[in-house]
Amino acid sequence: MPKNSKVTQREHSSEHVTESVADLLALEEPVDYKQSILNMAGETGGKQKAADEELGAEDRPAWNSKLQYILAQIGFSVGLGNIWRFPYLCQKNGGGAYLVPYLVLLIIIGIPLFFLELAVGQRIRRGSIGVWHYVCPRLGGIGFSSCIVCLFVGLYYNVIIGWSIFYFFKSFQYPLPWSECPVIRNGTVAVVEAECEKSSATTYFWYREALDISNSISESGGLNWKMTLCLLVAWSIVGMAVVKGIQSSGKVMYFSSLFPYVVLACFLVRGLLLRGAVDGILHMFTPKLDKMLDPQVWREAATQVFFALGLGFGGVIAFSSYNKPDNNCHFDAALVSFINFFTSVLATLVVFAVLGFKANIMNEKCVVENAEKILGYLHTNVLSRDLIPPHVNFSHLTAKDYTEMYKVIRAVKEDHFASLGLDPCLLEDELDKSVQGTGLAFIAFTEAMTHFPASPFWSVMFFLMLINLGLGSMIGTMAGITTPIIDTFKVPKEMFTVGCCVFAFFVGLLFVQRSGNYFVTMFDDYSATLPLTVIVILENIAVAWIYGTKKFMQELTEMLGFRPYRFYFYMWKFVSPLCMAVLTTASIIQLGVTPPGYSAWIKEEAAERYLYFPTWAMALLITLIVVATLPIPVVFILRHFHLLSDGSNTLSVSYKKGRMMKDISNLEENDETRFILSKVPSEAPSPMPTHRSYLGPGSTSPLETGGNPNGRYGSSYLLAGTPESEL
């Protein structure tokens, strides 16, 4: 080294110092320090030790076992959507035919991108902000957008857990409170509640007793105090589960991830024993092939894949960042994706078995009511008894006998048939009645459970399952918020986590107004979907096209110990970005062609009516979408014009004076290059992107010197034992 080098001048000191790379190498031979494999750390506002990054990586919490980690990923990916959204989409989009686009998109988009998120999280061992800043600083806004989307989803998702808590406590009574319509007594006169009589007992309980819903989103109606208390309980449970990070949430996952499968198995066995269960399952698996060519079906299938696997939220990256660097995330991606799909199919079997039972009950009720009408017409001579087939017995009237009688009457009384008000009472019509989202769980399924023997037991089990499914997803959602913020800004974990829960509770009061359900629809159907699609496609582009697919595959090979299938290369590079671009375009066109709206419950009509969002609500919706995606262009512009540092101008190297110099002071000039680069000049490593501010946590050095009792020069020149170009 030159005699006037700062390193040489201080070789007799043993203090631990941090030098900027620019100062350290100012008088050295010209070496591109941005491409060297030094352990470097950024300084902001004063000198800090470069050891912080490495010590942070070594002290980073880790999962107690592989099982705990897998259960955490399953708990996050398997959520409430698997129980009600997937079955609804199957029912709406052609039964078994819907499984084809879903499986295709799961294979070409879902699994590759899920593997990608697992890999970058495990490799870099940071939350979403740190990961995407590391991969491409100009696209560092992806991590901030992920946090915002997680916040949006967490705000309304915990409200749904609050609804489940309300129903859970209401289930401890017999008969169940939603099994019958309430009776209003006025002196000696007892009258059934008109709103309930026009709809049904379960529908009335959901809209009036639980939500006390207003007629539109413009009618606030004030807070629903029952749901406010339930929301408080929900956030308290979530806060206690995540306050200690994975140390607390990891233990919760053993129950919250496994218990739902016990309940689903019990419901499946019970459902298959119900009369009419086979009808429901056959209806599910009977494909309507024309639906397979509908672009809308493919768009909805892709959206379901994103939500089902938790892509773009940051929770997958956060959980994976607590893994050991050599964990087989390739196997994890396939395993969790399979379990997620299996759970969706299992839940759909349960739902359709129970709905088949409910459809038979409702069909029998329809037959009885219409048979009474026919008997009335026979007594008043409106209909002739000659129209009734001789084998029909009104005391034991079957659905088949009624259908035959209905066809005869319709054929003979063709001109006046409509005035009779007879219904066809077809089982297929009952099975085709699709109930969307929360309505499937809180209306259709609850109504079916009222006909179960020991109905309170099954109701308690069902809603306890929903609470646990929601809790697992909320833990992952909160990790998508807290992990990147704590990693990036070094805020106290417990204080920040509690602050997030308190803040989210107060903002969440928006969703427990009487009009709150309409805001849930806005956030669930619109505000998160488009930003999430943009985030996922940019994640893919950042790794596949900016960082480089070949480079990424090579680093995966070094990390895993084997080369992943070539299939992933083509999916990341070409197929997945193209499919997601088409999906994003379709989503934007859909918003333009079909104005966003919601299903409002009109009290006077006791029926749902589809309403468009008013102007102020549309402005709020657009604002939410802009806020969620705004960090991406803002960070890009700031870093493109060097208004925001990416860390490359404030790099520093920390070393211990004296001892290190004693070991390297005799190096020749050629050896100096080899020492810094860990290779001889002719074997210089492939250059790393010039924006790297650190190699990534968890990287270790194979260099050991006898003079250093710790086997390292403190946090000094750490030579790369990890791949040359680290992710």
Side-chain angles (χ1 to χ4, degrees), residues 41-314:
E43 281 186 318
T44 54
K47 295 184 178 182
Q48 60 185 51
K49 297 179 181 180
D52 288 349
E53 288 294 338
E54 176 140 358
L55 291 175
E58 292 175 352
D59 296 340
R60 189 174 185 80
W63 300 104
N64 291 335
S65 65
K66 180 65 174 282
L67 175 62
Q68 189 181 75
Y69 163 68
I70 292 296
L71 290 178
Q73 290 287 14
I74 292 172
F76 176 51
S77 64
V78 176
L80 298 173
N82 297 76
I83 302 299
W84 60 51
R85 183 172 176 82
F86 188 89
Y88 160 72
L89 291 173
C90 275
Q91 187 180 25
K92 173 188 174 186
N93 296 319
Y98 174 74
L99 297 179
V100 175
Y102 184 84
L103 269 175
V104 170
L105 293 172
L106 179 65
I107 293 172
I108 67 174
I109 294 181
I111 296 177
L113 295 183
F114 189 62
F115 179 31
L116 184 147
E117 290 198 358
L118 290 178
V120 295
Q122 180 174 309
R123 185 64 163 167
I124 302 174
R125 305 194 73 194
R126 286 291 182 270
S128 57
I129 295 176
V131 161
W132 300 116
H133 168 72
Y134 186 86
V135 172
C136 178
R138 290 184 180 181
L139 291 180
I142 294 175
F144 291 98
S145 289
S146 292
C147 291
I148 295 173
V149 171
C150 275
L151 176 62
F152 288 172
V153 172
L155 288 174
Y156 76 81
Y157 204 87
N158 223 23
V159 173
I160 301 175
I161 298 179
W163 295 342
S164 302
I165 292 172
F166 176 79
Y167 269 80
F168 172 75
F169 285 110
K170 286 291 185 178
S171 299
F172 289 94
Q173 50 187 299
Y174 184 82
L176 291 171
W178 52 82
S179 59
E180 297 177 351
C181 286
V183 176
I184 301 175
R185 296 190 177 277
N186 185 8
T188 58
V189 180
V191 180
V192 176
E193 172 65 47
E195 186 180 3
C196 183
E197 189 175 23
K198 292 178 182 178
S199 54
S200 68
T202 51
T203 304
Y204 173 83
F205 187 87
W206 167 240
Y207 283 119
R208 193 54 52 211
E209 295 293 334
L211 300 181
D212 193 19
I213 200 165
S214 61
N215 284 358
S216 72
I217 194 172
S218 300
E219 301 175 25
S220 168
L223 290 178
N224 180 340
W225 67 268
K226 292 179 289 187
M227 288 305 169
T228 303
L229 291 178
C230 291
L231 180 63
L232 179 61
V233 173
W235 275 113
S236 299
I237 294 173
V238 170
M240 288 186 290
V242 301
V243 67
K244 294 292 185 181
I246 63 171
Q247 284 87 352
S248 56
S249 61
K251 296 179 176 63
V252 173
M253 287 298 183
Y254 283 110
F255 181 77
S256 65
S257 296
L258 294 175
F259 178 74
Y261 289 96
V262 176
V263 177
L264 281 176
C266 293
F267 265 100
L268 180 61
V269 173
R270 183 68 188 91
L272 292 175
L273 297 176
L274 294 171
R275 178 170 46 88
V278 175
D279 296 326
I281 294 174
L282 289 177
H283 180 77
M284 168 198 163
F285 283 109
T286 302
K288 299 176 182 176
L289 299 179
D290 59 309
K291 290 286 188 177
M292 291 175 56
L293 302 177
D294 188 349
Q296 177 69 11
V297 174
W298 286 82
R299 189 181 72 85
E300 291 184 346
T303 303
Q304 177 62 16
V305 168
F306 288 169
F307 276 93
L309 293 176
L311 299 176
F313 287 98

Side-chain angles (χ1 to χ4, degrees), residues 363 366 370 402-403 406 410 422-426 429:
N363 192 58
C366 177
N370 283 272
Y402 173 78
T403 301
Y406 175 86
R410 183 172 183 176
L422 298 178
D423 299 315
C425 297
L426 297 176
D429 292 343

Side-chain angles (χ1 to χ4, degrees), residues 77 216 353 477 487 610 720:
S77 64
S216 72
T477 302
D487 286 346
Y610 190 82

